[in-house]
């Protein structure tokens, strides 16, 4: 196992802290995403370097003060455990795989105490699951990585979960993780020092644009498919919003004002398969996410993805994934 020391990190950058240094405590949970971690910390380091002074400081935290292993297998050294010695401006939890089985009570007190002392709290990548279970997102807008969004909404239907890259709602910060964290940190840098510095930090990473909070996590369909055909995009949108109660081919054709043959030509040209085969692919992918990320009974997963017949669902699931829905659930 590779161990990575954090001696390059902001708190050891060799630049004396400013009196108004903005402080972050970043709690790493086992299985955290290294991509998310780097995307969160690197913009702050670059801002310090470009300004030539220590305006951001980030302290790495783990539950017990011991190194934490990322999903990549690398182990990262940290600065401290959950003992609170000073209150940061922001306390952020970085998670990844395995967050749903993590014992959340271990850091519940830490977060609540920091909240009482005026800190903002944040959850990035899959960490919003932990916050939601603790009730820390009740009444707040939030977001989470797109792959977890369906199961998150199923488990916490009372929460307002968006598809945005990040959400800042009063003293709660949530972010989809990975490169979305770069956009979050560039936004925070811009709010404090202006767009010019944020743009300079962005250029250091060869990024051609700074995305806003409201930008969607997914590539736009026209970019993903290489087509801007409005009829095709409208048909895809209909499919995506009608998973539980699937539409017939005739319904889709009528909605986009095309004949069956014209619609099939569009799908075969730009998607590489027939209209209904692609629709089934989307429904089965949704089923796969629900099986892996929720505790919904398999029969309810089938219904949620538009399959009234158990045997029909199983047959198509095996054809797409090579094993049954029950084996998918057991293998988790």
């Amino acid at each position: 196992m590779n161990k990575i020391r954090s001696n390059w990190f902001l708190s050891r950058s060799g630049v004396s802290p400013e009196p108004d240094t903005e402080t972050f405590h970043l709690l790493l949970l086992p299985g955290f995403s290294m991509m998310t971690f780097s995307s969160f910390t690197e913009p702050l380091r670059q801002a310090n370097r470009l300004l030539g002074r220590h305006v951001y400081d980030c302290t790495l935290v783990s539950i017990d003060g011991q190194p934490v292993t990322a999903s990549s297998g690398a182990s990262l050294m940290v600065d401290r455990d959950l003992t609170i010695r000073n209150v940061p401006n922001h306390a952020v939890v970085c998670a990844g795989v395995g967050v749903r089985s993590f014992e959340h009570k271990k850091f519940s007190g830490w977060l609540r105490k920091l909240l009482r002392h005026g800190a903002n709290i944040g959850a990035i990548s899959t960490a919003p699951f932990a916050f939601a279970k603790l009730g820390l997102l009740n009444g707040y807008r939030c977001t989470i990585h797109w792959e977890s969004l369906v199961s998150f909404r199923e488990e916490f239907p009372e929460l307002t979960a968006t598809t945005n890259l990040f959400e800042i709602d009063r003293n709660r910060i949530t972010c989809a993780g990975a490169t979305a964290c770069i956009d979050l940190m560039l936004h925070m840098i811009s709010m404090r020092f202006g767009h010019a510095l944020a743009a300079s930090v962005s250029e250091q990473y060869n990024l051609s644009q700074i995305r806003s909070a409201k930008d969607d996590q997914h590539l736009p369909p026209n970019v993903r498919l290489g087509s801007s055909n409005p009829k095709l995009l409208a048909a895809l949108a209909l499919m995506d919003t009608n998973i539980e109660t699937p539409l017939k081919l005739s319904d889709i054709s009528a909605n986009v004002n095309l004949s069956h043959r014209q619609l099939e030509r569009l799908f075969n040209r730009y998607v590489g398969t027939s209209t209904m085969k692609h629709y089934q692919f989307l429904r089965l992918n949704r089923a796969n996410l629900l099986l892996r990320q929720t505790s919904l009974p398999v029969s309810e997963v089938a219904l949620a993805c538009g399959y009234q017949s158990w045997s029909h669902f199983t047959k198509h699931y095996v054809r797409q994934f090579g094993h049954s829905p029950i084996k998918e659930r057991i293998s988790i």
Side-chain angles (χ1 to χ4, degrees):
M1 183 183 297
N2 297 322
K3 289 188 177 181
I4 302 174
R5 291 190 174 274
S6 58
N7 57 1
W8 56 269
F9 205 61
L10 306 176
S11 58
R12 302 178 178 86
S13 61
V15 183
S16 299
E18 298 290 311
D20 60 346
T21 295
E22 191 169 351
T23 54
F24 295 81
H25 282 186
L26 183 60
L27 173 61
L28 304 177
L29 298 186
F32 73 93
S33 162
M34 187 66 81
M35 179 67 151
T36 296
F37 165 78
S38 298
S39 296
F40 185 89
T41 57
E42 274 293 313
L44 300 180
R45 184 185 69 83
Q46 283 289 358
N48 279 353
R49 187 178 76 84
L50 292 172
L51 289 172
R53 51 198 178 94
H54 196 160
V55 295
Y56 291 112
D57 186 275
C58 192
T59 298
L60 299 187
V61 182
S62 70
I63 298 295
D64 55 7
Q66 296 301 306
V68 189
T69 302
S71 58
S72 65
S75 185
L76 194 66
M77 305 290 284
V78 300
D79 301 302
R80 63 175 60 173
D81 60 16
L82 292 182
T83 303
I84 298 176
R85 299 178 181 87
N86 58 300
V87 177
N89 299 114
H90 316 281
V92 180
V93 179
C94 179
V97 298
V99 68
R100 297 171 64 84
S101 60
F102 189 76
E103 180 50 62
H104 308 300
K105 291 181 181 178
K106 292 184 178 180
F107 63 93
S108 174
W110 179 73
L111 287 169
R112 295 184 190 281
K113 185 173 182 180
L114 290 174
L115 268 177
R116 288 196 300 271
H117 285 82
N120 300 316
I121 61 171
I124 55 180
S125 190
T126 60
F129 268 114
F131 276 40
K133 286 190 174 182
L134 293 172
L136 294 172
L137 295 178
N138 293 348
Y140 293 85
R141 292 189 318 278
C142 60
T143 191
I144 194 169
H145 189 276
W146 65 265
E147 191 177 37
S148 299
L149 184 60
V150 172
S151 57
F152 186 83
R153 285 174 169 170
E154 287 279 346
E155 191 166 345
F156 306 104
E158 72 283 2
L159 296 182
T160 303
T162 73
T163 61
N164 292 350
L165 293 174
F166 59 89
E167 290 282 0
I168 301 177
D169 189 354
R170 290 159 288 170
N171 60 353
R172 301 292 195 277
I173 302 168
T174 51
C175 180
T179 58
C181 283
I182 297 179
D183 300 291
L184 168 64
M185 304 320 289
L186 291 175
H187 172 79
M188 296 183 76
I189 291 168
S190 179
M191 289 296 97
R192 185 176 175 192
F193 292 104
H195 181 77
L197 178 61
S200 294
V201 172
S202 179
E203 286 182 328
Q204 290 294 317
Y205 300 110
N206 297 320
L207 299 176
S208 59
Q209 64 175 354
I210 300 176
R211 296 178 295 179
S212 73
K214 293 185 178 180
D215 282 330
D216 199 282
Q217 297 179 38
H218 289 284
L219 284 174
N222 62 312
V223 175
R224 189 165 64 249
L225 297 173
S227 171
S228 297
N229 186 292
K231 305 282 189 179
L232 175 63
L233 299 181
L236 290 168
L238 277 172
M239 293 177 180
D240 196 50
T241 54
N242 290 277
I243 296 292
E244 187 170 351
T245 308
L247 302 172
K248 296 178 181 178
L249 178 60
S250 57
D251 297 325
I252 300 172
S253 300
N255 268 282
V256 300
N257 199 26
L258 287 176
S259 69
H260 293 186
R261 181 174 293 183
Q262 289 171 318
L263 188 61
E264 287 297 288
R265 284 176 180 169
L266 277 178
F267 269 82
N268 279 297
R269 178 178 179 183
Y270 293 108
V271 185
T273 188
S274 71
T275 307
M276 298 315 283
K277 280 185 178 179
H278 182 69
Y279 202 177
Q280 185 167 271
F281 172 81
L282 294 178
R283 291 161 58 202
L284 289 170
N285 272 2
R286 176 72 58 85
N288 180 261
L289 286 175
L290 292 174
L291 287 169
R292 290 190 289 111
Q293 298 180 5
T294 74
S295 57
L296 285 173
V298 179
S299 58
E300 289 188 24
V301 170
L303 290 172
C305 298
Y307 290 92
Q308 303 297 322
S309 165
W310 170 259
S311 60
H312 189 59
F313 173 56
T314 301
K315 174 185 175 181
H316 287 285
Y317 195 92
V318 171
R319 185 178 296 168
Q320 181 155 319
F321 296 104
H323 51 260
S324 71
I326 292 177
K327 283 189 176 180
E328 185 78 66
R329 176 59 58 76
I330 292 173
S331 68
I332 298 174

